[in-house]
Amino acid sequence: MAYELEIKRIYDMPAPTDGRRILVDRLWPRGMKKECAALSEWAKEVTPSPELRKLYHSGEMSFDLFAKAYREELEESADAAAFARRCRSWLQEAPVTLVYANKNTVENHVLVLRQWLLKAMTSCKND
């Protein structure tokens, strides 16, 4: 990889150093105008399932259990594998920034997704 895979809250100002900005939330962020988001794409296919998201956000599931279940969803998803291949390709050209809306910057799905993508992009080099 020539560039880094970054993460950033969508409410933080877009910057030229963001490169390709990809929204990785299933729901559109509240109060965010599409023209202000400066997105290259919206990758709903790599977000946690609605059921998993609801269990976690309702407090019925710890972050550790959520992260484990989400990683399993990603592992089983052909769309996630394809997204990892696209990310690997994009990172040859420019930075890629995964953007999200969650206020919690310490425990959120984007941290799990980024970690999974880094591993998946390394393992799919021969694809």
Side-chain angles (χ1 to χ4, degrees), residues 8 11 28 44 54 65 72 95 98 112-113:
K8 186 175 188 176
Y11 301 107
W28 186 259
K44 294 179 191 178
K54 288 174 187 173
L65 286 176
E72 288 171 2
L98 306 175
V112 177
L113 175 60

Side-chain angles (χ1 to χ4, degrees), residues 42-60:
W42 185 1
K44 294 179 191 178
E45 71 276 9
V46 296
T47 63
S49 65
E51 299 78 18
L52 188 57
R53 183 180 58 79
K54 288 174 187 173
L55 282 172
Y56 176 60
H57 289 294
S58 70
E60 296 178 52

Side-chain angles (χ1 to χ4, degrees), residues 10-116:
I10 196 163
Y11 301 107
D12 296 336
M13 289 294 294
T17 56
D18 290 346
R20 182 180 290 269
R21 289 171 51 92
I22 303 167
L23 177 62
V24 289
D25 278 341
R26 189 168 295 270
L27 305 174
W28 186 259
R30 287 188 182 144
M32 176 57 62
K33 294 181 180 176
K34 290 189 181 186
E35 59 272 11
C36 297
L39 296 175
S40 301
E41 75 176 77
W42 185 1
K44 294 179 191 178
E45 71 276 9
V46 296
T47 63
S49 65
E51 299 78 18
L52 188 57
R53 183 180 58 79
K54 288 174 187 173
L55 282 172
Y56 176 60
H57 289 294
S58 70
E60 296 178 52
M61 177 180 272
S62 70
F63 180 74
D64 289 341
L65 286 176
F66 166 79
K68 182 178 186 284
Y70 181 34
R71 278 191 296 272
E72 288 171 2
E73 285 185 350
L74 290 167
E75 286 294 329
E76 296 169 4
S77 169
D79 288 338
F83 183 74
R85 288 190 296 275
R86 288 195 315 272
C87 280
R88 187 184 74 220
S89 176
W90 295 329
L91 286 165
Q92 299 303 315
E93 310 285 324
V96 173
T97 302
L98 306 175
V99 295
Y100 66 100
N102 197 321
K103 290 178 185 175
N104 185 339
T105 60
V106 179
E107 292 183 335
N108 65 57
H109 76 282
V110 182
L111 298 171
V112 177
L113 175 60
R114 182 181 183 274
Q115 182 182 43
W116 182 85

